[in-house]
Amino acid sequence: MPFLGPLLKTVALILDFVFGTYKWIVIIAAVVSWVRPDPYHPIIRFLYSATEPVLYRIRRTLPFVMMGGFDLSPIVLILALQFIGQVFIVESLLQMAFMMR
């Protein structure tokens, strides 16, 4: 099965791109939330619908991320995406792809 190694490498790179893109979406949504954006603008609605379900679960699970009016749930989400996505999933797939050469 010589195609399995490159396939795993491709899947790892796609997942790396997806995790990276979602991290940027979270960052942009956090920065936009500092101002009063128009809630009916399509981009703001997309950012809200893409990030708020995950951020809500983080806020509900870890109530200490709301500190003195500051919402630290985007930071928790970015760290979780970096740690789980990059360290565990992507690196594991890349190592398996390397071993299957």
Side-chain angles (χ1 to χ4, degrees):
M1 289 194 210
F3 65 89
L4 204 53
L7 178 68
L8 280 176
K9 184 177 179 184
T10 304
V11 169
L13 293 176
I14 290 171
L15 284 175
D16 186 42
F17 176 75
V18 169
F19 282 124
T21 304
Y22 193 68
K23 279 189 287 190
W24 278 107
I25 289 172
V26 170
I27 290 170
I28 292 169
V31 170
V32 166
S33 73
W34 295 344
V35 296
R36 289 193 176 259
D38 178 20
Y40 299 108
H41 194 278
I43 295 174
I44 303 303
R45 292 179 72 166
F46 166 74
L47 291 173
Y48 184 78
S49 66
T51 59
E52 197 55 38
V54 180
L55 294 175
Y56 173 74
R57 288 185 182 165
I58 291 173
R59 288 184 204 114
R60 189 179 60 187
T61 306
L62 306 170
F64 59 86
V65 296
M66 297 292 288
M67 296 178 56
F70 291 110
D71 184 13
L72 301 176
S73 58
I75 295 172
V76 172
L77 179 58
I78 290 170
L79 290 175
L81 285 172
Q82 183 70 30
F83 188 70
I84 294 170
Q86 300 286 331
V87 174
F88 286 127
I89 297 172
V90 174
E91 284 298 321
S92 299
L93 285 175
L94 286 174
Q95 287 178 2
M96 286 189 334
F98 181 73
M99 291 181 352
M100 290 187 177
R101 282 185 177 181

XYZ file of all heavy atoms in Angstrom:
821
model
N 0.816 -1.188 0.000
C 0.000 0.000 0.000
C 0.861 1.253 0.000
O 0.933 1.974 0.987
C -0.904 0.010 1.215
C -1.990 -0.980 1.185
S -3.167 -0.546 2.468
C -3.771 -2.142 2.843
N 1.499 1.534 -1.115
C 2.377 2.711 -1.164
C 1.630 4.039 -1.189
O 2.223 5.085 -0.995
C 3.154 2.507 -2.468
C 2.255 1.672 -3.309
C 1.501 0.778 -2.356
N 0.349 4.020 -1.424
C -0.417 5.268 -1.496
C -0.898 5.732 -0.131
O -1.375 6.860 0.006
C -1.617 5.101 -2.427
C -2.638 4.120 -1.929
C -3.670 4.543 -1.108
C -2.567 2.779 -2.268
C -4.617 3.650 -0.640
C -3.508 1.884 -1.800
C -4.532 2.315 -0.983
N -0.800 4.890 0.892
C -1.346 5.241 2.195
C -0.548 6.347 2.895
O -1.125 7.220 3.544
C -1.420 3.997 3.083
C -2.436 4.016 4.205
C -3.812 4.361 3.672
C -2.468 2.691 4.904
N 0.767 6.332 2.749
C 1.602 7.375 3.354
C 1.301 8.758 2.811
O 1.036 9.697 3.577
N 1.336 8.929 1.474
C 0.990 10.249 0.934
C -0.453 10.665 1.216
O -0.743 11.850 1.388
C 1.219 10.091 -0.575
C 2.187 8.986 -0.694
C 1.903 8.065 0.449
N -1.366 9.687 1.289
C -2.751 10.003 1.616
C -2.867 10.558 3.032
O -3.546 11.557 3.268
C -3.639 8.774 1.446
C -5.112 8.969 1.798
C -5.767 9.906 0.789
C -5.831 7.650 1.835
N -2.185 9.920 3.978
C -2.203 10.409 5.362
C -1.552 11.785 5.461
O -2.009 12.645 6.225
C -1.502 9.425 6.285
C -2.320 8.222 6.716
C -1.463 7.287 7.559
C -3.537 8.646 7.485
N -0.482 11.992 4.690
C 0.172 13.300 4.708
C -0.762 14.371 4.160
O -0.853 15.476 4.708
C 1.454 13.262 3.891
C 2.221 14.546 3.936
C 3.519 14.454 3.164
C 4.245 15.794 3.218
N 5.452 15.770 2.406
N -1.501 14.042 3.107
C -2.453 14.991 2.531
C -3.573 15.308 3.517
O -3.957 16.472 3.686
C -3.032 14.433 1.227
O -1.963 14.133 0.336
C -3.984 15.413 0.590
N -4.089 14.292 4.187
C -5.142 14.507 5.186
C -4.616 15.373 6.323
O -5.309 16.281 6.799
C -5.684 13.158 5.701
C -6.570 13.349 6.915
C -6.425 12.421 4.603
N -3.380 15.127 6.749
C -2.790 15.930 7.822
C -2.641 17.383 7.402
O -2.926 18.297 8.181
C -1.436 15.352 8.224
N -2.217 17.622 6.170
C -2.062 18.998 5.701
C -3.407 19.703 5.557
O -3.523 20.901 5.844
C -1.294 19.011 4.386
C 0.169 18.578 4.481
C 0.806 18.532 3.099
C 0.948 19.487 5.404
N -4.429 18.977 5.120
C -5.764 19.568 5.020
C -6.295 19.913 6.404
O -6.853 21.004 6.617
C -6.722 18.619 4.268
C -6.340 18.553 2.789
C -8.174 19.061 4.427
C -7.076 17.494 2.005
N -6.115 19.012 7.370
C -6.556 19.298 8.737
C -5.781 20.465 9.337
O -6.352 21.285 10.072
C -6.408 18.056 9.612
C -7.455 16.976 9.410
C -7.110 15.750 10.246
C -8.826 17.489 9.761
N -4.497 20.553 9.024
C -3.700 21.680 9.491
C -4.244 22.994 8.929
O -4.358 23.995 9.645
C -2.247 21.486 9.087
C -1.334 22.544 9.649
O -1.506 22.909 10.833
O -0.442 23.000 8.914
N -4.617 22.993 7.660
C -5.217 24.182 7.043
C -6.554 24.521 7.685
O -6.841 25.697 7.958
C -5.388 23.958 5.540
C -6.076 25.096 4.841
C -5.412 26.275 4.592
C -7.404 24.986 4.465
C -6.047 27.336 3.960
C -8.052 26.028 3.836
C -7.367 27.202 3.582
N -7.386 23.516 7.952
C -8.703 23.753 8.557
C -8.553 24.322 9.964
O -9.225 25.302 10.321
C -9.533 22.449 8.565
C -10.771 22.587 9.423
C -9.912 22.054 7.154
N -7.659 23.729 10.771
C -7.444 24.249 12.124
C -6.877 25.662 12.084
O -7.282 26.524 12.871
C -6.505 23.341 12.925
C -7.163 22.103 13.446
C -6.654 20.849 13.150
C -8.282 22.172 14.241
C -7.257 19.708 13.625
C -8.892 21.035 14.734
C -8.372 19.800 14.418
N -5.959 25.933 11.182
C -5.390 27.274 11.057
C -6.420 28.304 10.628
O -6.464 29.417 11.149
N -7.262 27.926 9.668
C -8.308 28.829 9.207
C -9.307 29.123 10.318
O -9.715 30.277 10.512
C -9.040 28.221 7.990
O -8.084 27.939 6.972
C -10.098 29.158 7.456
N -9.682 28.093 11.076
C -10.639 28.316 12.160
C -10.028 29.178 13.267
O -10.725 29.994 13.875
C -11.138 26.980 12.722
C -12.343 27.155 13.607
C -13.561 27.550 13.078
C -12.268 26.943 14.982
C -14.670 27.733 13.884
C -13.368 27.116 15.789
C -14.562 27.515 15.240
O -15.659 27.708 16.035
N -8.733 29.025 13.520
C -8.080 29.890 14.500
C -8.164 31.351 14.075
O -8.443 32.228 14.892
C -6.616 29.489 14.694
C -6.414 28.324 15.611
C -4.970 28.112 15.934
C -4.261 27.539 14.750
N -2.900 27.085 15.024
N -7.955 31.618 12.776
C -8.056 32.989 12.292
C -9.483 33.513 12.362
O -9.706 34.693 12.634
C -7.494 33.106 10.877
C -6.012 33.228 10.901
C -5.099 32.287 10.558
C -5.268 34.358 11.346
N -3.837 32.761 10.750
C -3.904 34.041 11.236
C -5.616 35.610 11.821
C -2.902 34.925 11.577
C -4.603 36.490 12.169
C -3.265 36.147 12.041
N -10.452 32.643 12.115
C -11.851 33.057 12.232
C -12.164 33.447 13.678
O -12.841 34.442 13.932
C -12.791 31.940 11.728
C -12.679 31.821 10.205
C -14.235 32.193 12.136
C -13.414 30.644 9.620
N -11.647 32.674 14.635
C -11.861 32.996 16.055
C -11.187 34.320 16.405
O -11.768 35.159 17.106
C -11.347 31.843 16.950
C -11.332 32.257 18.412
C -12.180 30.602 16.749
N -9.983 34.538 15.910
C -9.269 35.785 16.191
C -10.023 36.976 15.610
O -10.212 38.002 16.278
C -7.827 35.716 15.641
C -7.000 34.724 16.458
C -7.167 37.087 15.653
C -5.653 34.391 15.860
N -10.471 36.853 14.367
C -11.205 37.949 13.736
C -12.514 38.216 14.472
O -12.882 39.380 14.702
C -11.440 37.644 12.251
C -10.109 37.667 11.497
C -12.418 38.623 11.630
C -10.180 37.118 10.097
N -13.214 37.159 14.879
C -14.471 37.346 15.615
C -14.224 38.026 16.958
O -15.021 38.874 17.389
C -15.160 36.000 15.817
N -13.122 37.694 17.613
C -12.814 38.324 18.901
C -12.489 39.808 18.720
O -12.945 40.652 19.494
C -11.648 37.599 19.569
N -11.726 40.134 17.689
C -11.371 41.528 17.451
C -12.598 42.336 17.043
O -12.792 43.470 17.494
C -10.255 41.623 16.379
C -10.041 43.051 15.926
C -8.956 41.044 16.922
N -13.454 41.755 16.218
C -14.666 42.457 15.785
C -15.613 42.677 16.965
O -16.332 43.679 17.012
C -15.346 41.675 14.642
C -16.760 42.149 14.392
C -14.531 41.795 13.368
N -15.588 41.783 17.936
C -16.494 41.942 19.081
C -16.105 43.120 19.975
O -16.890 43.524 20.818
C -16.525 40.656 19.905
O -15.317 40.502 20.632
N -14.933 43.679 19.798
C -14.517 44.835 20.597
C -15.236 46.106 20.181
O -15.312 47.055 20.957
C -13.017 45.048 20.500
C -12.203 43.949 21.086
C -12.616 42.968 21.926
C -10.818 43.727 20.864
N -11.584 42.133 22.242
C -10.455 42.574 21.602
C -9.851 44.353 20.122
C -9.174 42.073 21.610
C -8.563 43.850 20.134
C -8.236 42.720 20.875
N -15.717 46.138 18.951
C -16.486 47.290 18.475
C -17.946 46.870 18.391
O -18.286 45.722 18.620
C -15.972 47.776 17.096
C -14.561 48.281 17.202
C -16.076 46.695 16.062
N -18.798 47.783 18.060
C -20.217 47.447 17.918
C -20.533 47.231 16.443
O -20.954 48.164 15.757
C -21.088 48.549 18.484
C -21.052 48.638 19.972
C -22.183 49.533 20.421
N -22.238 49.584 21.853
C -23.104 48.883 22.571
N -23.949 48.090 21.980
N -23.114 48.986 23.875
N -20.357 45.997 15.969
C -20.647 45.759 14.548
C -22.154 45.634 14.310
O -22.926 45.391 15.228
C -19.953 44.433 14.269
C -19.994 43.722 15.573
C -19.856 44.803 16.631
N -22.527 45.819 13.078
C -23.916 45.645 12.682
C -24.250 44.146 12.744
O -23.663 43.360 12.014
C -24.122 46.171 11.263
C -25.542 45.981 10.772
O -26.448 45.803 11.610
O -25.747 46.033 9.544
N -25.164 43.725 13.618
C -25.423 42.284 13.766
C -26.096 41.656 12.549
O -26.165 40.433 12.454
C -26.328 42.204 14.992
C -26.916 43.545 15.140
C -25.952 44.516 14.551
N -26.550 42.471 11.616
C -27.210 41.931 10.428
C -26.290 41.861 9.215
O -26.704 41.412 8.161
C -28.452 42.763 10.094
C -29.453 42.733 11.215
C -29.671 43.841 12.004
C -30.148 41.562 11.493
C -30.574 43.804 13.049
C -31.058 41.511 12.535
C -31.263 42.633 13.312
O -32.159 42.579 14.344
N -25.053 42.285 9.383
C -24.091 42.201 8.284
C -23.747 40.728 8.058
O -23.535 39.973 9.008
C -22.830 42.997 8.626
C -21.947 43.234 7.454
N -21.063 42.303 7.008
C -21.838 44.302 6.629
C -20.427 42.768 5.962
N -20.877 43.994 5.708
N -23.681 40.286 6.797
C -23.450 38.861 6.523
C -22.129 38.320 7.078
O -22.066 37.175 7.544
C -23.468 38.769 4.998
C -24.067 40.019 4.509
C -23.938 41.048 5.573
N -21.090 39.137 7.051
C -19.803 38.658 7.573
C -19.873 38.486 9.081
O -19.376 37.499 9.633
C -18.671 39.625 7.164
C -18.503 39.601 5.648
C -17.369 39.256 7.854
C -17.516 40.606 5.118
N -20.495 39.440 9.760
C -20.636 39.346 11.215
C -21.505 38.152 11.585
O -21.202 37.431 12.537
C -21.231 40.651 11.785
C -20.370 41.857 11.393
C -21.411 40.565 13.286
C -18.933 41.755 11.833
N -22.556 37.915 10.829
C -23.414 36.753 11.088
C -22.651 35.450 10.884
O -22.822 34.495 11.635
C -24.648 36.807 10.208
C -25.560 37.971 10.602
C -26.742 38.040 9.740
N -27.611 36.913 10.117
C -28.855 36.807 9.748
N -29.388 37.730 8.986
N -29.579 35.796 10.124
N -21.798 35.403 9.840
C -20.974 34.209 9.620
C -20.002 33.996 10.770
O -19.865 32.871 11.276
C -20.204 34.311 8.296
C -19.116 33.286 8.189
C -19.422 31.958 7.941
C -17.787 33.635 8.357
C -18.433 31.001 7.858
C -16.785 32.691 8.277
C -17.110 31.369 8.025
N -19.307 35.063 11.172
C -18.358 34.933 12.279
C -19.056 34.465 13.552
O -18.550 33.611 14.274
C -17.651 36.271 12.527
C -16.671 36.743 11.459
C -16.201 38.154 11.771
C -15.506 35.797 11.348
N -20.213 35.036 13.818
C -20.964 34.669 15.013
C -21.421 33.209 14.946
O -21.279 32.456 15.907
C -22.161 35.602 15.181
C -22.949 35.364 16.428
C -22.495 35.834 17.650
C -24.146 34.664 16.398
C -23.216 35.620 18.809
C -24.873 34.440 17.549
C -24.404 34.915 18.753
O -25.112 34.688 19.884
N -21.956 32.798 13.797
C -22.461 31.424 13.685
C -21.332 30.397 13.643
O -21.537 29.239 14.011
C -23.348 31.279 12.459
O -22.595 31.454 11.278
N -20.151 30.813 13.215
C -19.031 29.870 13.151
C -18.322 29.707 14.494
O -17.758 28.650 14.771
C -18.022 30.325 12.098
N -18.364 30.736 15.326
C -17.594 30.673 16.569
C -18.443 30.533 17.824
O -17.999 29.925 18.801
C -16.719 31.920 16.723
O -17.550 33.086 16.716
C -15.696 32.007 15.619
N -19.618 31.100 17.824
C -20.398 31.171 19.063
C -20.823 29.815 19.619
O -20.810 29.640 20.848
C -21.605 32.081 18.877
C -22.229 32.539 20.165
C -21.242 33.210 21.101
O -20.359 33.942 20.642
O -21.363 32.987 22.319
N -21.195 28.815 18.813
C -21.543 27.522 19.421
C -20.392 26.898 20.217
O -20.602 26.372 21.312
C -21.920 26.655 18.222
C -22.347 27.609 17.182
C -21.500 28.830 17.383
N -19.187 27.005 19.708
C -18.030 26.442 20.414
C -17.675 27.290 21.626
O -17.398 26.759 22.711
C -16.830 26.325 19.455
C -15.628 25.746 20.171
C -17.188 25.480 18.247
N -17.699 28.602 21.451
C -17.385 29.490 22.573
C -18.422 29.369 23.685
O -18.075 29.456 24.871
C -17.279 30.938 22.092
C -16.117 31.242 21.143
C -16.210 32.676 20.651
C -14.790 30.981 21.810
N -19.682 29.174 23.330
C -20.727 28.993 24.343
C -20.463 27.741 25.176
O -20.619 27.761 26.400
C -22.094 28.911 23.671
C -23.206 28.553 24.632
C -23.671 29.486 25.548
C -23.764 27.284 24.641
C -24.676 29.158 26.446
C -24.754 26.951 25.524
C -25.220 27.888 26.426
O -26.195 27.553 27.309
N -20.066 26.666 24.526
C -19.761 25.437 25.277
C -18.569 25.633 26.203
O -18.535 25.087 27.311
C -19.508 24.284 24.318
C -20.754 23.819 23.651
C -20.515 22.610 22.812
N -21.759 22.227 22.160
C -21.836 21.399 21.159
N -20.747 20.843 20.687
N -23.000 21.111 20.620
N -17.579 26.388 25.748
C -16.424 26.657 26.607
C -16.861 27.493 27.807
O -16.476 27.204 28.942
C -15.310 27.362 25.814
C -14.699 26.392 24.803
C -14.229 27.896 26.745
C -13.711 27.025 23.857
N -17.673 28.522 27.561
C -18.147 29.363 28.672
C -18.995 28.579 29.661
O -18.933 28.807 30.867
C -18.963 30.533 28.129
C -18.155 31.568 27.438
C -19.048 32.735 27.018
N -18.437 33.427 25.906
C -18.950 33.467 24.671
N -20.103 32.911 24.406
N -18.316 34.099 23.713
N -19.810 27.662 29.151
C -20.677 26.869 30.023
C -19.860 25.852 30.811
O -20.119 25.630 32.002
C -21.737 26.156 29.190
C -22.805 25.482 30.032
C -23.820 24.827 29.190
N -23.127 23.826 28.363
C -23.690 23.138 27.390
N -24.936 23.342 27.088
N -23.010 22.257 26.707
N -18.856 25.246 30.180
C -18.044 24.228 30.846
C -17.051 24.852 31.820
O -16.831 24.325 32.910
C -17.288 23.396 29.800
O -18.226 22.880 28.859
C -16.549 22.248 30.451
N -16.431 25.947 31.407
C -15.424 26.620 32.225
C -15.899 28.034 32.574
O -15.558 28.994 31.894
C -14.090 26.705 31.461
C -13.511 25.407 30.918
C -12.353 25.688 29.990
C -13.088 24.505 32.053
N -16.681 28.179 33.638
C -17.245 29.510 33.930
C -16.196 30.530 34.347
O -16.466 31.726 34.309
C -18.228 29.236 35.066
C -17.794 27.953 35.656
C -17.124 27.169 34.568
N -14.987 30.096 34.680
C -13.967 31.045 35.107
C -13.321 31.790 33.940
O -12.485 32.666 34.160
C -12.876 30.338 35.925
C -12.176 29.233 35.192
C -11.094 29.492 34.372
C -12.608 27.929 35.331
C -10.459 28.477 33.697
C -11.978 26.902 34.666
C -10.899 27.178 33.839
N -13.706 31.489 32.693
C -13.121 32.221 31.560
C -13.724 33.610 31.413
O -13.209 34.419 30.647
C -13.249 31.437 30.231
C -12.467 30.147 30.286
C -14.669 31.206 29.842
N -14.800 33.895 32.129
C -15.365 35.243 32.157
C -14.809 35.935 33.399
O -15.294 35.738 34.504
C -16.888 35.187 32.221
C -17.546 34.544 31.032
S -17.381 35.498 29.540
C -18.472 36.849 29.886
N -13.761 36.738 33.203
C -13.076 37.364 34.330
C -13.259 38.874 34.275
O -12.706 39.528 33.395
C -11.584 37.033 34.304
C -11.295 35.562 34.490
S -9.557 35.181 34.402
C -8.893 36.242 35.647
N -14.030 39.408 35.173
C -14.180 40.848 35.291
C -14.679 41.528 34.035
O -14.206 42.606 33.693
N -15.591 40.919 33.346
C -16.113 41.503 32.124
C -15.329 41.132 30.874
O -15.727 41.489 29.775
N -14.208 40.454 31.038
C -13.421 40.007 29.893
C -13.759 38.563 29.578
O -13.774 37.709 30.460
C -11.917 40.118 30.179
C -11.434 41.530 30.263
C -11.039 42.055 31.466
C -11.378 42.323 29.131
C -10.591 43.356 31.554
C -10.937 43.625 29.208
C -10.545 44.151 30.420
N -13.988 38.310 28.314
C -14.296 36.963 27.860
C -13.005 36.331 27.335
O -12.490 36.728 26.288
C -15.357 37.008 26.765
C -15.782 35.629 26.313
O -15.446 34.644 26.987
O -16.464 35.558 25.279
N -12.492 35.366 28.060
C -11.247 34.707 27.673
C -11.485 33.402 26.916
O -10.537 32.678 26.641
C -10.395 34.445 28.914
C -10.013 35.676 29.726
C -9.245 35.265 30.971
C -9.217 36.646 28.894
N -12.734 33.119 26.576
C -13.019 31.862 25.879
C -12.375 31.778 24.494
O -11.974 30.682 24.093
C -14.526 31.629 25.792
O -15.169 32.682 25.136
N -12.202 32.876 23.720
C -11.465 32.730 22.464
C -10.014 32.303 22.661
O -9.480 31.524 21.877
C -11.541 34.127 21.832
C -12.747 34.744 22.407
C -12.831 34.197 23.801
N -9.391 32.785 23.732
C -8.017 32.377 24.010
C -7.955 30.900 24.354
O -7.075 30.169 23.889
C -7.420 33.235 25.148
C -7.320 34.683 24.689
C -6.059 32.718 25.579
C -6.931 35.656 25.760
N -8.925 30.439 25.155
C -8.983 29.014 25.495
C -9.198 28.175 24.243
O -8.557 27.139 24.058
C -10.101 28.759 26.538
C -10.312 27.278 26.762
C -9.780 29.461 27.846
N -10.076 28.634 23.359
C -10.342 27.899 22.125
C -9.122 27.865 21.217
O -8.789 26.825 20.650
C -11.535 28.514 21.389
C -11.911 27.868 20.060
C -12.235 26.392 20.239
C -13.076 28.601 19.429
N -8.422 28.979 21.085
C -7.227 29.016 20.244
C -6.147 28.101 20.801
O -5.495 27.359 20.060
C -6.718 30.458 20.095
C -7.693 31.262 19.246
C -5.317 30.494 19.483
C -7.422 32.735 19.224
N -5.961 28.119 22.115
C -4.977 27.220 22.720
C -5.362 25.759 22.549
O -4.507 24.908 22.286
C -4.796 27.554 24.206
C -4.103 28.872 24.515
C -4.115 29.133 26.013
C -2.693 28.869 23.977
N -6.655 25.471 22.685
C -7.113 24.096 22.486
C -6.926 23.664 21.033
O -6.492 22.528 20.770
C -8.580 23.963 22.895
N -7.239 24.538 20.097
C -7.031 24.209 18.686
C -5.553 23.994 18.387
O -5.184 23.068 17.654
C -7.581 25.314 17.791
C -9.083 25.396 17.640
C -9.462 26.662 16.884
C -9.618 24.172 16.928
N -4.719 24.827 18.947
C -3.284 24.693 18.728
C -2.767 23.394 19.329
O -2.037 22.652 18.686
C -2.548 25.886 19.344
C -1.077 25.883 19.118
C -0.710 26.146 17.680
O -1.415 26.840 16.974
N 0.392 25.578 17.246
N -3.162 23.126 20.552
C -2.634 21.955 21.245
C -3.207 20.659 20.691
O -2.466 19.759 20.306
C -2.925 22.071 22.745
C -2.252 21.018 23.559
C -0.887 21.025 23.718
C -2.996 20.017 24.157
C -0.255 20.043 24.458
C -2.383 19.038 24.897
C -1.011 19.050 25.054
N -4.519 20.559 20.633
C -5.142 19.311 20.181
C -4.942 19.124 18.684
O -4.557 18.049 18.228
C -6.638 19.299 20.547
C -6.807 19.253 22.057
C -7.343 18.113 19.906
C -8.217 19.474 22.523
N -5.219 20.172 17.918
C -5.134 20.047 16.470
C -3.724 19.844 15.969
O -3.447 18.911 15.221
N -2.819 20.702 16.386
C -1.465 20.644 15.867
C -0.659 19.516 16.495
O -0.030 18.747 15.788
C -0.748 21.978 16.134
C -1.397 23.156 15.498
C -1.159 23.201 14.006
O -0.148 22.710 13.539
N -2.074 23.771 13.275
N -0.663 19.435 17.804
C 0.211 18.489 18.488
C -0.283 17.062 18.348
O 0.483 16.163 17.973
C 0.356 18.876 19.978
C 1.149 17.834 20.741
C 1.007 20.239 20.098
N -1.548 16.837 18.613
C -2.031 15.465 18.609
C -2.406 14.965 17.220
O -1.860 13.978 16.735
C -3.224 15.300 19.554
C -2.844 15.320 21.001
C -3.465 16.178 21.866
C -1.870 14.488 21.484
C -3.126 16.205 23.200
C -1.509 14.508 22.814
C -2.141 15.369 23.671
N -3.330 15.629 16.582
C -3.905 15.083 15.360
C -2.949 15.209 14.175
O -2.593 14.217 13.542
C -5.263 15.760 15.064
C -6.240 15.447 16.184
C -5.809 15.305 13.726
C -7.537 16.202 16.096
N -2.520 16.429 13.876
C -1.713 16.645 12.676
C -0.349 15.973 12.808
O 0.102 15.273 11.890
C -1.584 18.156 12.384
C -0.626 18.410 11.239
C -2.949 18.745 12.077
N 0.318 16.165 13.925
C 1.639 15.557 14.090
C 1.566 14.035 14.094
O 2.450 13.370 13.556
C 2.309 16.053 15.375
C 2.858 17.443 15.256
C 3.952 17.561 14.203
O 4.786 16.640 14.076
O 3.955 18.576 13.500
N 0.525 13.476 14.700
C 0.371 12.019 14.703
C 0.170 11.491 13.290
O 0.766 10.473 12.907
C -0.807 11.599 15.569
O -0.605 11.992 16.896
N -0.660 12.173 12.508
C -0.873 11.739 11.128
C 0.395 11.883 10.297
O 0.703 11.014 9.468
C -2.011 12.530 10.498
C -3.414 12.153 10.944
C -4.426 13.111 10.329
C -3.750 10.730 10.572
N 1.144 12.955 10.505
C 2.391 13.122 9.763
C 3.416 12.062 10.141
O 4.145 11.555 9.276
C 2.958 14.525 9.986
C 2.240 15.660 9.264
C 2.806 17.006 9.675
C 2.326 15.477 7.760
N 3.487 11.703 11.412
C 4.408 10.650 11.828
C 3.999 9.299 11.266
O 4.851 8.515 10.832
C 4.497 10.585 13.349
C 5.274 11.727 13.944
C 5.309 11.667 15.457
O 4.772 10.742 16.067
N 5.922 12.670 16.069
N 2.693 9.016 11.241
C 2.240 7.755 10.653
C 2.522 7.727 9.154
O 2.905 6.698 8.602
C 0.748 7.550 10.913
C 0.447 7.183 12.336
S -1.246 6.681 12.726
C -2.280 7.438 11.561
N 2.347 8.860 8.485
C 2.640 8.935 7.060
C 4.126 8.720 6.801
O 4.503 8.051 5.832
C 2.184 10.271 6.495
N 4.959 9.277 7.666
C 6.406 9.102 7.512
C 6.799 7.644 7.727
O 7.685 7.130 7.040
C 7.152 10.010 8.484
C 8.623 9.921 8.370
C 9.289 10.475 7.281
C 9.381 9.287 9.346
C 10.652 10.388 7.156
C 10.748 9.191 9.245
C 11.397 9.753 8.150
N 6.160 6.975 8.683
C 6.500 5.576 8.956
C 6.017 4.641 7.849
O 6.573 3.558 7.676
C 5.892 5.139 10.299
C 6.561 5.808 11.466
S 5.971 5.378 13.130
C 4.559 4.413 12.935
N 5.051 5.042 7.072
C 4.514 4.175 6.017
C 5.243 4.339 4.688
O 4.855 3.733 3.711
C 3.022 4.468 5.817
C 2.197 4.017 6.947
S 0.482 4.210 6.538
C -0.259 3.524 7.985
N 6.264 5.127 4.645
C 7.032 5.287 3.400
C 7.763 4.039 3.046
O 8.195 3.222 3.675
C 8.024 6.430 3.523
C 7.359 7.747 3.381
C 8.394 8.808 3.393
N 7.745 10.093 3.175
C 8.416 11.214 3.117
N 9.707 11.238 3.246
N 7.787 12.327 2.930
